[in-house]
Amino acid sequence: MATKSSPFTGNPVYPVMFAIGGVHLLNDSLQAVIPAMFPILEDSMGLTFTQLGLIAFALNMVASVLQPVVGYFSDRKPMPYALPIGMTFSLVGIAGLAFAPQYWMILVFVICLGFGSAVFHPEGSRVSFMSAGSKRGLSQSIYQVGGNSGQALAPLISAYILVPFGQRGAAFFIFVAALAIFILMKISAWYKEQLIQEKKNNRKKVLLSSIGNLTKKQIGVALGLLLVIIFARSFYVISITNFYIFHLMESYGLSISKGQLCIFLFLALGATGTFFGGPMADKIGRKNVIVLSIALPIPLCALLPYVPLWAVIVLLGAIGFIIMLSFSVTVVYAQELVPSKIGTMAGLTVGLAFGMGAIGSVVIGILMDSIGIYQTMIVISLLPIIGLVGLWLPRDQKIVAS
């Protein structure tokens, strides 16, 4: 992939930008197989909601814990070929998942998927940042919309692959993982070439921040506020993607396939919101987009448990679009808070999203087993209120590339 680049400032490298976004779609479609299998596993293995929550916990916790670690070490010593190596672990995980006959084996192969994801995300975000030039919001949006589009496939995977073919339908995604490895080999070659050129020219990376000079204490407070926002958003999104299907089946009498189409609407419009969020942040500011994305959905989320089915469809689409506007923006905001730690900040923010998904899956599963599905959805509907702490984030300004 011989493409002239100007890392960190200057012209964007669009072929690399779109290639890493495309692989993010492939990677997250592999992960999307897990929640897509929940209704299948509940029926075929008789698993409880708590056991399903533990499957999601195993996937997301491994990914969340390791992502900042991978980011930290790659900041110290970049690892271009870690990308295809990590994807190989995902290939092993998805192949094993398709044929695992027992619950404990499912957990083991899910952990393999989590490890592959932990390696891919911070390094993929670094490639996105390197190819962005001065278009950081746009580049991160392309990268993250790829991932969110992959996640959005979960309902369709369930409805059109796993429902007719069962657990073994997951074997189809072996080919998806293989394609991702092929593309990542090309991207890794470009990544390596940038490092060689940088060393040869003794070129120092120019890292511009839109936030300005903050004290260590101010940076720490801002990161803390940002992580609270990610907690609220991730906890809510995981409740919809993994468990809202059971509410649709119980309260509205929908079949698995029809219920999954409602979830697909939420995720598809969420992916659309992710794409628009980055360019919007480049124009009106990162903080403004973050605050809007968490404040506007609050009344919609509060109404969702009480409305008829037609309104559910409308609200799910609106909530998905608005709440995901800030998904890529929070990553870029964190990277600009600590611009010398690009991989670490990507690993921390995206890793936290996975971690909150892990914890949220267990908590939601326990709640649904103990107080019921409908009551759990009412509790979850209030979560976005926590994200209003974003009002206290430091303001940012427009970057002018040199």
Side-chain angles (χ1 to χ4, degrees):
M1 191 173 285
T3 308
K4 188 177 179 181
S5 67
S6 300
F8 308 109
T9 59
N11 297 325
V13 187
Y14 288 107
V16 176
M17 200 185 292
F18 281 100
I20 196 65
V23 176
H24 199 184
L25 186 153
L26 299 177
N27 179 82
D28 282 26
S29 70
L30 299 178
Q31 292 178 247
V33 173
I34 308 305
M37 289 183 74
F38 279 6
I40 309 300
L41 294 175
E42 186 213 17
D43 181 57
S44 63
M45 290 189 174
L47 302 184
T48 65
F49 291 123
T50 301
Q51 287 175 310
L52 295 176
L54 287 172
I55 292 173
F57 178 85
L59 172 69
N60 293 324
M61 186 53 69
V62 170
S64 68
V65 169
L66 291 182
Q67 277 196 50
V69 176
V70 173
Y72 172 78
F73 282 107
S74 67
D75 280 332
R76 295 169 65 92
K77 184 177 176 59
M79 303 175 288
Y81 286 95
L83 285 163
I85 291 171
M87 189 61 66
T88 301
F89 276 89
S90 294
L91 188 151
V92 171
I94 200 68
L97 187 64
F99 302 101
Q102 298 180 25
Y103 178 67
W104 71 268
M105 294 179 71
I106 288 175
L107 290 175
V108 169
F109 288 117
V110 159
I111 288 171
C112 283
L113 273 169
F115 180 79
S117 179
V119 173
F120 172 78
H121 280 95
E123 281 296 274
S125 186
R126 179 188 298 280
V127 170
S128 173
F129 191 95
M130 289 175 68
S131 64
S134 60
K135 302 289 187 181
R136 293 183 194 169
L138 174 63
S139 183
Q140 194 64 218
S141 281
I142 291 171
Y143 175 67
Q144 297 295 353
V145 79
N148 289 344
S149 297
Q151 294 170 17
L153 294 175
L156 302 184
I157 292 168
S158 178
Y160 298 111
I161 297 177
L162 298 180
V163 168
F165 296 105
Q167 182 179 341
R168 293 193 175 184
F172 168 81
F173 291 89
I174 295 172
F175 301 101
V176 173
L179 175 61
I181 291 170
F182 174 78
I183 299 172
L184 285 174
M185 290 296 294
K186 303 289 186 181
I187 291 173
S188 294
W190 175 85
Y191 183 173
K192 183 179 180 180
E193 181 63 25
Q194 306 314 301
L195 298 178
I196 292 172
Q197 290 298 323
E198 182 181 318
K199 187 175 182 180
K200 182 187 298 184
N201 299 331
N202 196 23
R203 183 175 67 206
K204 192 168 181 68
K205 299 168 188 173
V206 181
L207 301 172
L208 300 178
S209 173
S210 67
I211 300 174
N213 295 323
L214 300 177
T215 66
K216 287 186 177 180
K217 182 178 179 181
Q218 288 173 319
I219 291 172
V221 171
L223 276 176
L225 294 174
L226 199 64
L227 297 183
V228 170
I229 293 166
I230 294 171
F231 160 78
R233 184 186 65 210
S234 300
F235 210 116
Y236 185 81
V237 170
I238 204 73
S239 73
I240 300 296
T241 57
N242 284 11
F243 293 99
Y244 195 71
I245 178 66
F246 298 106
H247 172 59
L248 291 172
M249 292 165 65
E250 179 187 74
S251 298
Y252 298 98
L254 297 185
S255 65
I256 293 177
S257 296
K258 289 182 179 179
Q260 293 288 19
L261 290 177
C262 293
I263 308 302
F264 172 73
L265 176 67
F266 172 83
L267 292 170
L269 286 176
T272 306
T274 298
F275 177 78
F276 282 104
M280 186 185 300
D282 286 337
K283 290 182 180 296
I284 69 171
R286 322 258 192 249
K287 176 182 175 178
N288 290 335
V289 172
I290 291 170
V291 172
L292 284 173
S293 75
I294 206 71
L296 292 181
I298 288 174
L300 307 182
C301 295
L303 281 173
L304 188 60
Y306 307 102
V307 297
L309 182 58
W310 68 266
V312 165
I313 296 170
V314 174
L315 289 179
L316 279 177
I319 292 169
F321 179 84
I322 299 169
I323 206 168
M324 296 303 288
L325 283 171
S326 66
F327 192 89
S328 63
V329 180
T330 50
V331 178
V332 175
Y333 190 93
Q335 289 174 330
E336 292 183 357
L337 279 173
V338 191
S340 62
K341 301 291 183 183
I342 300 303
T344 304
M345 289 301 102
L348 181 64
T349 51
V350 180
L352 181 76
F354 279 100
M356 290 304 100
I359 296 169
S361 294
V362 175
V363 171
I364 295 166
I366 292 172
L367 280 174
M368 289 173 69
D369 280 333
S370 57
I371 67 174
I373 297 172
Y374 181 65
Q375 289 74 14
T376 300
M377 292 300 110
I378 293 175
V379 172
I380 295 301
S381 70
L382 303 176
L383 269 174
I385 296 173
I386 300 172
L388 289 176
V389 298
L391 291 168
W392 287 273
L393 285 171
R395 286 202 169 275
D396 55 288
Q397 298 174 347
K398 185 177 179 63
I399 288 180
V400 179
S402 57

